[in-house]
Amino acid sequence: MAKVLCFGSLNIDYVYKVDHFVKKGETISSRALDVYSGGKGLNQSVTLGKAGCEAYHAGLIGEDGRFLLDILSDSGVDVSLVGISGDIRSGNALIQNDAEGDNCIILYPGANFAITAGQADEALKNFGCGDYIVLQNEISELPYIVKRAKEKGMTIVLNPSPMNANLTQEILDAADWMVLNEVEAMQLTDSERDGEDELAEALRKHFPRSRFVLTLGERGSCYIDMERKIHQEIFRTEVVDTTAAGDTYTGYFIAGLLRGWDMEKCLKVAAKASSITVSRAGAAPSVPWMREVEESMGISEEGE
């Protein structure tokens, strides 16, 4: 199995339980405050580790984030490429979690935006052709990292989130794979319609060399390339917290690719893993291990 490097954000998540999201000029009380590990990069690395990949994480934290290394290590992720800064705090997220289990999030990038080209070179030096690199848009030096990974022949998997001006056309065009939701797909293609077929055609038109996994919330997900589209329904469950649902899906889908599964199995396992994540509280702690996913699918299939 090829190695996979997730070069991404490491955050401390402060999750406030609220009845509804705070409005302009409003002050509300929180029913609870929980502190979790988070960041899209960390969540995806945790997922890759728990899914059984040879996973490495590269990134930067402050002294306040040392416990994040334990979270990664305990999930089977190599953390030797994570730097520790004594000058800046770790990234953090303020998350409101409402009564329906939905979230709204404010990000403070912190150390995630202090990554240097030198650190990128050091992290990439032991990876090469056939290895995978997983990227999001929550760290500095993303254009340089993409350029160097491309030069090394790595397979680039991009989760273009959050969508902002830092995602240049050069970065997008370099992606071999994109894993994204319908809102991100609409923004990338200037589409005014969120239908699965319409978005598939728009993505093909704008990024003809890439392959896509499009997540559609309750409408499921699908794989898209220039020749075909494969749809996957969701596994319905009671929703507790959606924070790391997309990251779990991304990690498990990549794990399926690395294991050589066919596309239908990659989609199905990713959807099942994501359904387990949303049934639990928190970000990284809610991500299931592969054995949990396999057991859950085995029970489901026997009952069909």
Side-chain angles (χ1 to χ4, degrees), residues 148-192:
R148 295 290 291 120
K150 202 70 177 175
E151 290 171 352
K152 286 175 165 286
M154 299 178 73
T155 297
I156 298 174
V157 183
L158 176 66
N159 175 204
S161 177
M163 283 290 302
N164 58 40
N166 293 332
L167 279 174
T168 64
Q169 193 65 41
E170 184 178 11
I171 292 171
L172 296 169
D173 289 341
D176 299 293
W177 288 87
M178 287 193 215
V179 184
L180 68 172
N181 61 35
E182 71 264 49
V183 174
E184 292 156 354
M186 291 174 69
Q187 292 172 325
L188 279 179
T189 61
D190 295 321
S191 176
E192 296 180 356

Side-chain angles (χ1 to χ4, degrees), residues 114-133:
I115 291 167
T116 65
Q119 183 186 357
D121 284 333
E122 184 66 21
L124 289 166
K125 70 179 184 181
N126 292 320
F127 296 88
C129 187
D131 293 328
Y132 279 59
I133 185 167

Side-chain angles (χ1 to χ4, degrees), residues 56-93:
Y56 299 78
H57 190 96
L60 188 66
I61 56 174
E63 292 288 350
D64 58 328
R66 285 184 176 273
F67 76 98
L68 301 176
L69 301 180
D70 295 331
I71 299 293
L72 288 164
S73 296
D74 291 346
S75 301
V77 180
D78 187 303
V79 297
S80 60
L81 303 177
V82 178
I84 302 173
S85 172
D87 301 322
I88 189 169
R89 292 179 62 85
S90 301
N92 68 64

Side-chain angles (χ1 to χ4, degrees), residues 7-12 38-42 57-62 68 82-83 85 88-93 107-116 119 136-142 145:
F7 206 140
S9 55
L10 297 148
N11 286 341
I12 304 171
K40 295 187 72 65
L42 182 143
H57 190 96
L60 188 66
I61 56 174
L68 301 176
V82 178
S85 172
I88 189 169
R89 292 179 62 85
S90 301
N92 68 64
L107 289 174
Y108 165 67
N112 296 311
F113 269 32
I115 291 167
T116 65
Q119 183 186 357
Q136 316 80 31
N137 189 28
E138 293 184 343
I139 59 172
S140 57
E141 293 295 343
L142 187 59
I145 294 166

